[in-house]
Amino acid sequence: MHKNELTAYFTEDTVTALLAWYRANRRALPWRETTDPYRIWLSEIMLQQTRVEAVKPYYARFLEAAPTVADLAALDEARLMKLWEGLGYYSRARNLQKAARIVVEQYGGRMPDSYENLLKLPGIGEYTAGAIASIAFGICVPAVDGNVLRVLSRVAGSYEDIAEQATKSAFRDALAEVVPTDAGDFTQAMIELGATVCVPNGEARCGVCPMVSVCEAKRRGLTDELPVRAAKKARRIEKKTVLLIRDGDRTALHKRPDKGLLAGLYELPNTEGHLGEDEVLSYIRSIGFEPLRLARLEDAKHIFTHIEWHMIAYDVRITPEFDGYHGASGMLLVPNDEMRESFAIPSAFSAYTKYL
Ligand code: ADE
């Protein structure tokens, strides 16, 4: 993709048709009813790895708890994690808060209104900076996410691998040449086209597409072939044994390390590998608990971006004499209602937290 390669496709007429299509067909979404850059930022971060329908209730709840950047900056960690519980990729929430604190300290609580300054904030990359700058501030910059890459690959009939950073950058630079003055609607129109019309898996709805008359993929019958995305590396598989360690109504929780996967979150205690019953009993004793009964629970899998957890699990009843903070293991014994209310347990454990 060369710098001016998209100008042949995004003529004044096609851009007009695209914007008209968007205005007539856009879904009514909560973040489309605001020009508040903080709200648009939050929506874009939530939408990065999560479907629109799943985001809606989180978005509403988050904004009730933190209606302004300053409120987000001031949230305590447990509350922040609780608001994000179930969305996954918790570093998104931590970066949001880091950035909010910078916005409060360096910009007096107002989101920076330039692409370059947005890009400097933690968790804001080229796509998100472009989306906020164009949608909230009307700045003529492009925002290229997976949806937009698919549309552009098809429109231009490009076989370049969209998993490559070089391809993304080239598409971004080419799209920058054609962003109209109505940059916000243009960004949203491209995203909406990719999400609702120019969809993957052989289901493209070319019959209703405002760009069909210029689309190379359509003309050459390549819609199902494009875009090209090189196969991802296989995920690493990790075997784990998850333990519901509990007395009457309390369950043991363990805080994960501050770095790495699910950093700083509370989890159900677990060990590497698949342990047999005897191994579980000696492990429980080795961390200073006294087991009473043991029952195997069902197996479960959880898929992260680069890792898969293959879990087996045991329900372990222990004697009830231990303190809430259990020094020998560093674990907390937390009453189940308090856990539901105040602790954000990653959804990787949802096959087992349902018992609590
Ligand atoms: N996906 C990413 N950004 C979006 C937006 N603003 N609206 C709908 N879906 C999106």
Side-chain angles (χ1 to χ4, degrees):
M1 178 72 33
H2 300 292
K3 195 172 163 200
N4 290 315
E5 207 166 323
L6 290 176
T7 49
Y9 304 101
F10 288 84
T11 59
E12 215 177 304
D13 283 352
T14 15
V15 171
T16 304
L18 174 68
L19 293 175
W21 169 83
Y22 173 66
R23 287 167 191 148
N25 294 284
R26 63 186 216 140
R27 291 167 293 175
L29 299 173
W31 45 90
R32 289 182 175 163
E33 280 155 26
T34 180
T35 52
D36 178 354
Y38 164 59
R39 289 173 183 244
I40 289 162
W41 171 37
L42 177 68
S43 74
E44 291 300 339
I45 299 296
M46 285 186 167
L47 287 161
Q48 270 167 23
Q49 275 114 344
T50 312
R51 288 173 307 105
V52 164
E53 286 310 312
V55 162
K56 283 181 184 173
Y58 282 93
Y59 179 76
R61 211 164 46 112
F62 200 98
L63 286 172
E64 228 166 80
T68 68
V69 178
D71 296 320
L72 167 55
L75 279 183
D76 79 54
E77 186 194 354
R79 182 103 170 87
L80 177 67
M81 291 298 108
K82 195 69 191 163
L83 287 166
W84 211 262
E85 184 181 21
L87 275 177
Y89 304 97
Y90 291 81
S91 58
R92 290 186 291 171
R94 294 188 198 282
N95 278 332
L96 263 176
Q97 189 174 52
K98 267 192 220 158
R101 289 178 174 163
I102 294 170
V103 171
V104 167
E105 283 160 23
Q106 295 183 11
Y107 297 95
R110 294 164 75 97
M111 290 289 286
D113 59 2
S114 76
Y115 174 80
E116 290 72 21
N117 284 338
L118 286 165
L119 199 54
K120 287 183 198 154
L121 295 171
I124 298 190
E126 286 189 344
Y127 165 73
T128 312
I132 301 169
S134 59
I135 298 170
F137 298 114
I139 298 170
C140 287
V141 287
V144 175
D145 71 349
N147 284 316
V148 177
L149 281 171
R150 182 169 57 255
V151 173
L152 296 179
S153 297
R154 286 178 176 165
V155 165
S158 164
Y159 277 86
E160 287 175 63
D161 174 5
I162 60 165
E164 292 280 337
Q165 185 53 47
T167 307
K168 292 181 201 172
S169 301
F171 271 123
R172 188 192 167 279
D173 293 347
L175 194 63
E177 298 298 312
V178 303
V179 178
T181 38
D182 207 340
D185 274 6
F186 182 75
T187 289
Q188 300 239 48
M190 292 295 290
I191 293 169
E192 195 73 347
L193 194 63
T196 64
V197 173
C198 197
V199 293
N201 307 325
E203 291 174 17
R205 300 163 57 224
C206 302
V208 298
C209 180
M211 299 198 70
V212 68
S213 63
V214 296
C215 181
E216 286 292 332
K218 177 66 181 165
R219 189 171 69 78
R220 290 159 41 199
L222 305 173
T223 316
D224 294 346
E225 246 172 80
L226 297 177
V228 173
R229 176 195 283 278
K232 290 188 184 136
K233 272 201 310 193
R235 283 185 287 262
R236 186 171 81 235
I237 291 173
E238 292 185 356
K239 290 183 179 177
K240 294 206 167 275
T241 301
V242 176
L243 303 169
L244 277 185
I245 303 175
R246 47 184 172 158
D247 58 16
D249 96 296
R250 300 182 305 167
T251 304
L253 294 180
H254 166 258
K255 193 169 197 295
R256 291 183 62 86
D258 287 336
K259 288 233 151 49
L261 189 69
L262 305 174
L265 294 174
Y266 282 88
E267 64 179 356
L268 294 176
N270 58 83
T271 66
E272 281 179 29
H274 287 169
L275 306 190
E277 292 196 358
D278 290 346
E279 291 170 302
V280 171
L281 289 173
S282 33
Y283 173 72
I284 294 290
R285 292 195 180 98
S286 78
I287 57 174
F289 289 119
E290 187 50 41
L292 287 173
R293 276 184 280 131
L294 190 67
R296 179 83 183 256
L297 298 170
E298 76 268 28
D299 299 352
K301 259 189 208 175
H302 188 80
I303 295 177
F304 298 96
T305 313
H306 303 296
I307 299 174
E308 274 179 38
W309 280 1
H310 291 192
M311 295 171 277
I312 68 165
Y314 294 88
D315 187 0
V316 187
R317 299 297 171 133
I318 56 169
T319 55
E321 75 267 20
F322 300 103
D323 290 339
Y325 175 69
H326 182 251
S329 63
M331 292 178 193
L332 298 178
L333 280 168
V334 180
N336 291 334
D337 52 356
E338 187 185 333
M339 177 169 61
R340 282 188 291 271
E341 207 151 286
S342 310
F343 287 79
I345 314 293
S347 44
F349 296 97
S350 58
Y352 308 120
T353 48
K354 70 172 184 232
Y355 291 107
L356 302 172

